[in-house]
Amino acid sequence: MISQVGYTKKTVTVNHRDFLVQIVPYDNGDYISISEGKERIGTLVVSISSGGRVSTAAVIPSKSDTLFLKMVSERVASTINGICIFSLSIEKDLDLDSMKVLMNELMEIIKQ
Protein backbone atom coordinates (compact mmCIF):
# COMPACT_ATOMS: atom_id res chain seq x y z
CA MET A 1 0.00 0.00 0.00
CA ILE A 2 1.32 3.45 -0.92
CA SER A 3 1.20 6.11 1.77
CA GLN A 4 -0.61 9.30 0.75
CA VAL A 5 1.04 11.45 3.44
CA GLY A 6 2.55 14.51 1.81
CA TYR A 7 1.65 13.47 -1.74
CA THR A 8 0.03 16.28 -3.73
CA LYS A 9 -1.96 15.93 -6.94
CA LYS A 10 -3.55 19.01 -8.45
CA THR A 11 -4.89 20.09 -11.83
CA VAL A 12 -3.85 23.59 -12.88
CA THR A 13 -5.67 25.25 -15.79
CA VAL A 14 -3.85 27.99 -17.67
CA ASN A 15 -4.94 29.51 -21.00
CA HIS A 16 -7.41 26.64 -21.66
CA ARG A 17 -4.72 24.00 -21.02
CA ASP A 18 -4.93 21.50 -18.14
CA PHE A 19 -1.73 20.46 -16.38
CA LEU A 20 -1.61 17.68 -13.82
CA VAL A 21 0.90 18.61 -11.12
CA GLN A 22 2.09 15.81 -8.83
CA ILE A 23 4.61 16.19 -6.02
CA VAL A 24 6.05 13.41 -3.90
CA PRO A 25 8.13 14.75 -0.99
CA TYR A 26 11.01 12.86 0.57
CA ASP A 27 13.25 13.70 3.53
CA ASN A 28 16.06 14.84 1.22
CA GLY A 29 14.13 16.15 -1.79
CA ASP A 30 11.06 16.20 -3.97
CA TYR A 31 9.90 14.43 -7.12
CA ILE A 32 7.76 16.75 -9.26
CA SER A 33 5.80 15.77 -12.35
CA ILE A 34 3.84 18.08 -14.64
CA SER A 35 1.84 16.37 -17.39
CA GLU A 36 -0.50 17.70 -20.03
CA GLY A 37 -2.85 15.15 -21.53
CA LYS A 38 -1.81 11.62 -20.58
CA GLU A 39 0.18 11.04 -17.39
CA ARG A 40 3.65 10.42 -18.77
CA ILE A 41 7.26 10.72 -17.72
CA GLY A 42 8.72 13.38 -19.97
CA THR A 43 11.85 15.43 -19.98
CA LEU A 44 13.71 14.79 -16.74
CA VAL A 45 15.99 17.24 -14.92
CA VAL A 46 17.71 16.71 -11.56
CA SER A 47 19.06 19.50 -9.36
CA ILE A 48 20.83 19.28 -6.03
CA SER A 49 21.48 22.13 -3.62
CA SER A 50 24.38 21.86 -1.22
CA GLY A 51 26.23 24.58 0.62
CA GLY A 52 24.51 27.38 -1.31
CA ARG A 53 25.47 25.89 -4.70
CA VAL A 54 23.04 24.23 -7.09
CA SER A 55 24.07 21.64 -9.67
CA THR A 56 21.72 20.55 -12.44
CA ALA A 57 21.78 17.74 -14.99
CA ALA A 58 19.36 16.78 -17.73
CA VAL A 59 18.67 13.05 -17.52
CA ILE A 60 16.20 13.01 -20.42
CA PRO A 61 16.86 16.16 -22.48
CA SER A 62 14.16 18.37 -23.95
CA LYS A 63 13.85 19.80 -27.44
CA SER A 64 12.51 23.02 -25.91
CA ASP A 65 11.55 24.63 -22.58
CA THR A 66 14.99 23.91 -21.13
CA LEU A 67 15.10 27.24 -19.32
CA PHE A 68 11.79 26.55 -17.54
CA LEU A 69 12.87 23.04 -16.58
CA LYS A 70 16.19 24.18 -15.15
CA MET A 71 14.67 27.19 -13.40
CA VAL A 72 11.96 25.15 -11.64
CA SER A 73 14.32 22.36 -10.63
CA GLU A 74 16.98 24.72 -9.28
CA ARG A 75 14.50 26.91 -7.43
CA VAL A 76 12.86 23.95 -5.71
CA ALA A 77 16.24 22.39 -4.83
CA SER A 78 17.38 25.71 -3.33
CA THR A 79 14.13 26.18 -1.42
CA ILE A 80 14.21 22.72 0.18
CA ASN A 81 18.03 22.58 0.33
CA GLY A 82 18.00 19.13 -1.22
CA ILE A 83 17.32 17.23 -4.42
CA CYS A 84 14.65 18.04 -6.99
CA ILE A 85 13.75 15.53 -9.69
CA PHE A 86 11.47 17.28 -12.19
CA SER A 87 9.60 15.67 -15.08
CA LEU A 88 7.69 17.67 -17.70
CA SER A 89 5.46 16.14 -20.37
CA ILE A 90 3.53 18.71 -22.40
CA GLU A 91 1.77 18.74 -25.76
CA LYS A 92 3.17 22.09 -26.97
CA ASP A 93 5.60 24.73 -25.72
CA LEU A 94 4.65 26.81 -22.70
CA ASP A 95 4.02 30.53 -22.99
CA LEU A 96 5.30 32.96 -20.38
CA ASP A 97 1.95 33.18 -18.54
CA SER A 98 1.75 29.40 -18.24
CA MET A 99 5.30 29.25 -16.89
CA LYS A 100 4.56 31.89 -14.26
CA VAL A 101 1.34 30.25 -13.09
CA LEU A 102 2.88 26.77 -12.92
CA MET A 103 5.93 28.08 -11.04
CA ASN A 104 3.73 29.93 -8.53
CA GLU A 105 1.51 26.88 -7.97
CA LEU A 106 4.54 24.64 -7.42
CA MET A 107 6.17 27.02 -4.97
CA GLU A 108 2.91 27.36 -3.00
CA ILE A 109 2.74 23.59 -2.62
CA ILE A 110 6.46 23.23 -1.78
CA LYS A 111 6.32 25.90 0.92
CA GLN A 112 3.37 24.24 2.73
Side-chain angles (χ1 to χ4, degrees):
M1 184 172 174
I2 298 174
S3 173
Q4 295 292 318
V5 176
Y7 171 74
T8 303
K9 185 174 185 177
K10 180 177 186 178
T11 300
V12 178
T13 303
V14 186
N15 296 330
H16 308 291
R17 294 172 70 183
D18 292 329
F19 300 94
L20 178 62
V21 176
Q22 298 179 82
I23 301 175
V24 182
Y26 294 89
D27 287 338
N28 62 340
D30 290 336
Y31 171 77
I32 299 171
S33 172
I34 297 177
S35 301
E36 181 181 22
K38 293 182 180 181
E39 287 185 55
R40 302 174 62 125
I41 295 173
T43 300
L44 197 66
V45 175
V46 178
S47 295
I48 184 166
S49 176
S50 178
R53 294 185 48 219
V54 179
S55 298
T56 302
V59 179
I60 302 173
S62 170
K63 296 176 186 172
S64 59
D65 288 325
T66 54
L67 181 63
F68 178 69
L69 289 158
K70 186 176 179 183
M71 182 176 60
V72 169
S73 187
E74 289 182 353
R75 185 163 178 199
V76 171
S78 293
T79 301
I80 63 174
N81 196 31
I83 300 167
C84 176
I85 303 168
F86 178 46
S87 172
L88 179 67
S89 176
I90 54 176
E91 295 174 356
K92 62 181 183 176
D93 289 346
L94 295 171
D95 59 32
L96 188 58
D97 287 338
S98 298
M99 289 182 203
K100 287 179 182 179
V101 170
L102 288 170
M103 174 67 91
N104 288 337
E105 289 288 336
L106 283 173
M107 295 314 294
E108 283 294 317
I109 295 167
I110 298 294
K111 291 178 180 178
Q112 290 179 356

